[in-house]
């Protein structure tokens, strides 16, 4: 039963992202490179967040402090990734078949966001998945028996949010839309802080908020990437 739980939670959290990677990233080496680079940037942000936590841990042991610092550090590295991409556009133009790399920017920001999200989801869930294989770990330490399922669903939400956030953030930096930049940072902080409610067993509230933000953020990302109601209808009708 524990093996079934392991695969179920793994497919829930990483099934859609892996499908997104296979269908939209895997066929293009430039997108793969950007995804891997973004994953590396997120790992560096995690290292820096851990360093800050260790430095201030003797002063405050509250999880909230570390979480807030981590969010701002991650957004700082998202901006750094944006600057790196824009600085290397001329080089990317030389090694790609794309006519104009500037028309390809939303795809690059999508690949970057997916890299951020996948590595973030992997690190948030890997220890839980390792424990799920047993023996008999459903309801860790007498907690809810749906804890692992909720964790997997939350990880999926964060992966999707990171993907959408990067699309919005990169476009906002290009057009100097500070409202969208503020939205990305504020929504990232909001969703992350809401996960603290899980400590009180309010899983339904956390997931409802997270997936509501996924829908809102996805709609904004779709709009800034050039999507319209007409194009969405064509997508649904396969025209």
């Amino acid at each position: 039963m524990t093996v079934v739980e392991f695969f179920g939670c793994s497919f829930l959290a990483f099934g859609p992202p892996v499908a997104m990677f296979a269908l939209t990233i895997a066929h293009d080496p430039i997108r793969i490179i950007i995804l891997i680079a973004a994953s590396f940037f997120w790992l560096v942000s995690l290292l820096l967040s851990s360093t800050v936590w260790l430095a201030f841990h003797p002063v405050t042991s509250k999880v909230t402090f570390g979480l807030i610092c981590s969010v701002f550090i991650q957004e700082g590295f998202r901006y750094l990734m944006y600057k790196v991409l824009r600085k290397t556009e001329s080089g990317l133009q030389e090694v790609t078949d794309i006519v104009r790399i500037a028309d390809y920017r939303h795809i690059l920001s999508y690949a970057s966001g997916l890299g951020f999200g996948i590595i973030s989801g992997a690190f948030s869930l890997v220890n839980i998945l390792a424990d799920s294989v047993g023996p008999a770990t459903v309801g860790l330490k007498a907690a809810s028996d749906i804890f692992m399922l909720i964790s997997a669903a939350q990880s999926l939400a964060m992966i999707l949010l990171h993907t959408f956030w990067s699309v919005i953030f990169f476009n906002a930096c290009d057009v100097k839309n500070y409202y969208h930049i503020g939205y990305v940072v504020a929504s990232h902080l909001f969703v992350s802080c809401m996960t603290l409610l899980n400590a009180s067993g309010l899983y339904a509230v956390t997931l409802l908020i997270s997936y509501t933000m996924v829908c809102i953020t996805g709609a904004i990302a779709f709009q800034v990437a050039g999507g319209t109601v007409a194009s969405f209808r064509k997508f649904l009708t396969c025209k």
Side-chain angles (χ1 to χ4, degrees):
M1 192 65 186
T2 54
V3 175
V4 173
E5 183 181 34
F6 169 82
F7 282 107
C9 291
S10 298
F11 292 152
L12 172 61
F14 300 111
V18 169
M20 292 163 67
F21 172 81
L23 295 174
T24 63
I25 303 293
H27 66 278
D28 190 331
I30 297 298
R31 300 182 195 184
I32 295 174
I33 291 171
I34 291 173
L35 183 141
I36 293 173
S39 300
F40 172 75
F41 272 60
W42 189 89
L43 288 173
V44 176
S45 75
L46 177 64
L47 177 62
L48 184 57
S49 299
S50 301
T51 303
V52 172
W53 169 256
L54 288 175
F56 287 92
H57 184 66
V59 180
T60 176
S61 59
K62 292 184 177 180
V63 175
T64 308
F65 171 79
L67 184 148
I68 293 173
C69 288
S70 178
V71 167
F72 283 110
I73 291 171
Q74 286 179 55
E75 293 305 326
F77 274 85
R78 196 190 307 276
Y79 178 72
L80 185 60
M81 184 66 196
Y82 162 79
K83 295 297 289 185
V84 169
L85 277 180
R86 294 299 177 262
K87 290 290 185 181
T88 57
E89 278 188 354
S90 58
L92 291 174
Q93 185 71 69
E94 296 294 329
V95 298
T96 185
D97 296 330
I98 302 167
V99 177
R100 289 183 69 249
I101 198 72
D103 299 330
Y104 196 61
R105 284 179 171 178
H106 293 313
I107 302 297
L108 301 185
S109 61
Y110 161 79
S112 174
L114 189 59
F116 251 69
I118 288 175
I119 198 68
S120 171
F123 266 78
S124 66
L125 198 62
V126 64
N127 288 335
I128 295 174
L129 290 177
D131 286 337
S132 70
V133 295
T137 54
V138 177
L140 297 176
K141 296 182 179 179
S144 171
D145 57 1
I146 60 171
F147 170 77
M148 294 176 184
L149 183 63
I150 295 298
S151 298
Q154 184 64 44
S155 295
L156 174 60
M158 293 304 297
I159 293 172
L160 296 175
L161 281 170
H162 271 296
T163 305
F164 299 148
W165 282 330
S166 286
V167 173
I168 298 169
F169 189 91
F170 285 26
N171 178 78
C173 290
D174 285 334
V175 301
K176 302 295 189 295
N177 188 331
Y178 298 109
Y179 293 108
H180 277 178
I181 294 174
Y183 171 80
V184 170
V185 177
S187 60
H188 189 178
L189 187 62
F190 174 69
V191 173
S192 298
C193 288
M194 287 299 100
T195 61
L196 296 175
L197 295 176
N198 288 338
S200 302
L202 300 175
Y203 302 124
V205 176
T206 301
L207 283 185
L208 179 62
I209 291 173
S210 296
Y211 279 92
T212 299
M213 293 303 299
V214 167
C215 294
I216 294 172
T217 308
I220 297 173
F222 179 73
Q223 187 269 327
V224 302
T228 62
V229 175
S231 64
F232 185 67
R233 285 175 180 169
K234 290 181 179 179
F235 164 75
L236 291 178
T237 56
C238 300
K239 292 183 179 179

